[in-house]
Amino acid sequence: MDEAVGSWELAQRWADALDGVVAPTLNRSQIEEMLAALCTGLIDAARGGEDPDIARRAARMLVAANYRDPSAVSRSVPVICADLVELVADGPGDPALPQIRDRAIKLAADFAAGFTAALRAAALAEQEATLAAVLAAAEEAENRRALSEARFEAVFDGALVGIGTVDMTGQVVNCNAIMAQMLGQTPETMPGRTVADILGPRNLNFAFEQLQLMVAGESESFRTETEHLHADGRVTAIDLSMSAVRNSDGGIEFLIGVAVDVTERKQLADRLWHDANHDALTGLPNRPHLFNRLAGAQPPIGVCYLDLDGFKEINDLWGHTVGDRVLEVVADRMREAVRADEALAARIGGDEFLVLVERCSGEDQLARLADTLLSALTEPLAVDGHMLAVGASIGTAFFERLPGAVDELVHAADAAMYRNKNDARRDPAR
């Protein structure tokens, strides 16, 4: 297919997927033109192109066009992982299809990460602008009190972020409805009370410590993200900025805080991090996440490398749907088998798994763990009405100290596994 035609076709599918998410700043024609330019780069990347930032750039452009709802991610990922692959690949028999899918998954992960970063940058920019406006209005109040007080009240009451002021004794002077709501209060119940009283002992954390330093005149400002525990057990994440407002003599008149509820953004970031670091089918940590853990693991280190025996035959005989279900059951059994050793089980490819044991006591512990895994995995599996069985070849490696290269751990266990490849092998049940 002509590349320009392919870009427009993909852009139209993407625009259809995004339809109704929000009210964007562009019309449909402009959206398709923007997406077509991005799709050209995504198609090139899926074919092995060298633009490492295309997916993140696409995310930034969507956020700039006012696509700021998390559903923009969930609707875009299928376009990248399915429609893009279908467009780039030369049919289901294309020998390059696995590589194209891998690149598409990487693009989707980059897009999700870029969307979170762009969303955060946009929110922080708006917060900074609000804080700057509030501080400017407060400063003008000292010079032109009558006029600026009216302006300040308008900003204070009408802002979409929480705003509150605290005097130098730590008592709340006033706050708007948004700030009171974030703290589980009302604007009428907060003035005159100390911040410690309003927050309660469970919430006297780092942010409160920084506020005390400001009240004591030892700090000019601070900014932090903090969690607030409500009386009903609900927890919200708050991005809080506090600054000192000085009078004409240079003394601190009062403290002003601006707060943004970032609970949904934080939850989205957590979900995206989990999706980027875990296998989509089994939910186990994936290869990149495992290698990150290995790089900072606490020695002595023990690893078990597992390769399923008979899994290919199950796929060939019963199909990939049954094969996927087998992998899910295997993953569940592995989680349970390694729980007592507080080990980490990860899927590193197809039917290959690796278990990491930090602060390992030695070869005996690894041998017992390998036996436990082998016993758990070789139990027959009931999948879609079929009684199936898989075997497992397991190799172990023990290191007193963390090797200079993480690959040494995997290679050592891999070599041990292949030496034992013919052990504990079973044929799939028919």
Side-chain angles (χ1 to χ4, degrees):
M1 178 183 293
D2 179 79
E3 183 170 327
V5 175
S7 298
W8 274 104
E9 180 181 341
L10 186 61
Q12 290 172 340
R13 294 187 190 180
W14 199 351
D16 289 339
L18 292 173
D19 188 35
V21 172
V22 292
T25 56
L26 307 176
N27 60 37
R28 175 60 184 240
S29 177
Q30 292 170 325
I31 292 171
E32 289 182 357
E33 289 180 4
M34 176 187 71
L35 293 177
L38 296 173
C39 288
T40 299
L42 291 173
I43 290 172
D44 180 65
R47 289 173 175 162
E50 296 297 326
D51 186 353
D53 194 52
I54 178 61
R56 293 174 181 268
R57 191 162 64 251
R60 291 194 293 269
M61 292 185 70
L62 286 186
V63 172
N66 204 39
Y67 287 101
R68 300 189 180 185
D69 191 277
S71 61
V73 176
S74 62
R75 296 191 185 190
S76 296
V77 167
V79 174
I80 297 172
C81 290
D83 294 344
L84 175 62
V85 172
E86 177 186 342
L87 183 68
V88 173
D90 188 15
D94 190 342
L97 183 57
Q99 291 81 9
I100 294 172
R101 282 177 175 162
D102 287 345
R103 296 185 193 115
I105 292 172
K106 176 64 166 57
L107 288 170
D110 285 348
F111 176 87
F115 188 89
T116 301
L119 204 60
R120 175 180 173 83
L124 292 182
E126 292 175 359
Q127 182 180 349
E128 291 288 352
T130 300
L131 180 59
V134 171
L135 292 175
E139 182 178 355
E140 185 180 357
E142 295 297 323
N143 303 317
R144 303 175 62 184
R145 184 176 299 275
L147 178 60
S148 63
E149 282 185 356
R151 291 176 178 173
F152 179 77
E153 288 298 324
V155 173
F156 192 88
D157 294 331
L160 298 179
V161 296
I163 305 175
T165 57
V166 179
D167 65 21
M168 299 309 292
T169 68
Q171 290 186 330
V172 174
V173 178
N174 59 3
C175 71
N176 66 2
I178 300 296
M179 176 67 86
Q181 182 180 10
M182 285 185 193
L183 300 179
Q185 304 286 330
T186 67
E188 294 75 27
T189 60
M190 289 181 62
R193 297 169 60 190
T194 66
V195 174
D197 176 48
I198 293 170
L199 294 180
R202 295 180 298 179
N203 291 301
L204 299 183
N205 52 22
F206 174 78
F208 180 73
E209 294 175 1
Q210 294 300 306
L211 177 61
Q212 288 180 302
L213 292 177
M214 292 186 67
V215 169
E218 299 177 17
S219 174
E220 187 75 15
S221 65
F222 74 89
R223 180 177 188 169
T224 187
E225 188 171 295
T226 183
E227 290 187 343
H228 182 76
L229 178 63
H230 294 255
D232 59 4
R234 182 170 48 93
V235 177
T236 55
I238 298 174
D239 193 319
L240 174 66
S241 298
M242 293 290 298
S243 296
V245 178
R246 297 183 178 274
N247 56 31
S248 57
D249 297 327
I252 297 179
E253 189 77 14
F254 60 91
L255 309 178
I256 186 166
V258 176
V260 177
D261 188 332
V262 294
T263 305
E264 290 187 3
R265 191 203 72 206
K266 189 173 185 299
Q267 290 171 344
L268 173 62
D270 291 342
R271 288 198 302 270
L272 293 176
W273 182 92
H274 181 277
D275 292 345
N277 287 276
H278 290 77
D279 176 53
L281 176 64
T282 65
L284 291 176
N286 58 19
R287 189 182 188 93
H289 182 38
L290 172 69
F291 273 56
N292 285 337
R293 280 288 298 271
L294 282 171
Q298 296 294 317
I301 303 297
V303 291
C304 298
Y305 194 107
L306 289 81
D307 183 292
L308 300 183
D309 299 328
F311 181 70
K312 181 180 184 302
E313 289 81 356
I314 288 177
N315 265 338
D316 293 342
L317 183 60
W318 303 110
H320 289 283
T321 299
V322 172
D324 287 349
R325 180 64 186 131
V326 168
L327 290 175
E328 291 174 345
V329 175
V330 166
D332 290 339
R333 292 184 178 183
M334 287 186 66
R335 287 190 192 92
E336 187 62 31
V338 305
R339 192 184 307 278
D341 291 270
E342 297 182 350
L344 174 74
R347 183 186 181 196
I348 59 176
D351 60 350
E352 297 177 336
F353 301 83
L354 191 140
V355 175
L356 166 66
V357 183
E358 299 187 58
R359 295 178 291 276
C360 181
S361 61
E363 297 282 359
D364 289 343
Q365 181 184 0
L366 288 179
R368 288 194 302 272
L369 179 56
D371 288 341
T372 301
L373 287 165
L374 191 60
S375 176
L377 298 183
T378 53
E379 285 290 325
L381 302 83
V383 177
D384 293 344
H386 307 296
M387 287 302 297
L388 307 175
V390 293
S393 296
I394 303 179
T396 64
F398 176 74
F399 293 82
E400 289 282 358
R401 297 179 180 82
L402 195 64
V406 172
D407 284 345
E408 291 182 30
L409 287 165
V410 180
H411 290 160
D414 188 21
M417 185 272 292
Y418 275 104
R419 287 196 298 269
N420 301 322
K421 184 63 179 173
N422 293 322
D423 293 344
R425 182 183 297 273
R426 294 192 180 186
D427 294 324
R430 303 289 175 137

